Amino acid sequence: MTEADLVEIEAIKQLKARYCRLLDTKQWAAWRTIFTDDFLSDTSEAGGKVIDGADKFVAFTRKSLRNQATVHQVHAPEIVITSPTTARGVWALEDVVRFGPGINLRGYGHYTETYEKADGQWRIKSSKLTRLREDVGNGLVAVFISDPMRRAIGRLSRRVLK
């Protein structure tokens, strides 16, 4: 690994930090700028769906969250520079989504991503979210959401969000 690679890796870390901050503060226009136009989101293994295109992804996320309080924390990045303008990475993820008073989802998993550099800026080109565990609780009681349960909830939410 070269010194130049380390500089690029740090830039990608900053990009992912902005991803979390802008998502959690609901700065949708600024959040859109961190993706390539042809961005591909795949959350199908986590109960979601595949969305092709950054504009569609941002609109879907904005509608899905409906300004609910969220906290996304990513850490332990494994980033590899694959060319002067491409890279790939895996991030450990912990997130919290507040659905209402006393009802929170806490999830644990990974983002597997690709990045593209254009006009001197790194952007996220693709992202696949996988989950290891999801807990729903109120601070006193938490319930583990199994894979079959998550799939059923995902099917229900897709019907509601259409």
Side-chain angles (χ1 to χ4, degrees):
M1 187 174 307
T2 67
E3 187 176 320
D5 287 343
L6 293 174
V7 169
E8 300 299 348
I9 288 170
E10 182 59 28
I12 292 169
K13 288 179 182 179
Q14 295 292 315
L15 172 71
K16 193 62 178 180
R18 278 192 310 281
Y19 170 97
C20 294
R21 177 177 54 82
L22 295 171
L23 172 59
D24 291 338
T25 58
K26 311 303 184 257
Q27 296 181 54
W28 302 116
W31 195 57
R32 167 59 182 89
T33 67
I34 67 171
F35 303 105
T36 61
D37 291 341
D38 61 347
F39 172 74
L40 179 68
S41 168
D42 181 355
T43 59
S44 59
E45 289 183 37
K49 61 183 186 175
V50 175
I51 300 174
D52 193 5
D55 292 333
K56 289 179 186 175
F57 175 68
V58 171
F60 172 81
T61 303
R62 183 177 187 169
K63 181 180 176 184
S64 298
L65 291 180
R66 295 190 179 116
N67 292 317
Q68 294 164 313
T70 59
V71 177
H72 289 77
Q73 297 181 341
V74 294
H75 48 275
E78 303 170 61
I79 300 169
V80 177
I81 304 300
T82 54
S83 83
T85 59
T86 60
R88 68 177 183 272
V90 178
W91 295 83
L93 163 70
E94 179 179 356
D95 62 345
V96 177
V97 178
R98 184 171 190 242
F99 291 117
I103 302 173
N104 297 311
L105 165 80
R106 173 166 267 151
Y108 309 89
H110 294 93
Y111 285 116
T112 301
E113 298 181 325
T114 60
Y115 310 96
E116 185 175 89
K117 188 175 188 180
D119 302 322
Q121 295 284 20
W122 285 101
R123 290 186 177 78
I124 303 172
K125 185 168 180 61
S126 69
S127 182
K128 180 176 184 171
L129 172 65
T130 53
R131 294 284 193 182
L132 299 170
R133 182 178 176 96
E134 289 180 329
D135 298 318
V136 175
N138 63 8
L140 298 174
V141 177
V143 177
F144 170 67
I145 306 297
S146 67
D147 286 339
M149 207 175 196
R150 182 182 326 132
R151 286 191 293 276
I153 292 168
R155 286 190 300 273
L156 179 62
S157 1
R158 282 191 295 279
R159 286 186 203 142
V160 170
L161 294 173
K162 281 187 181 179

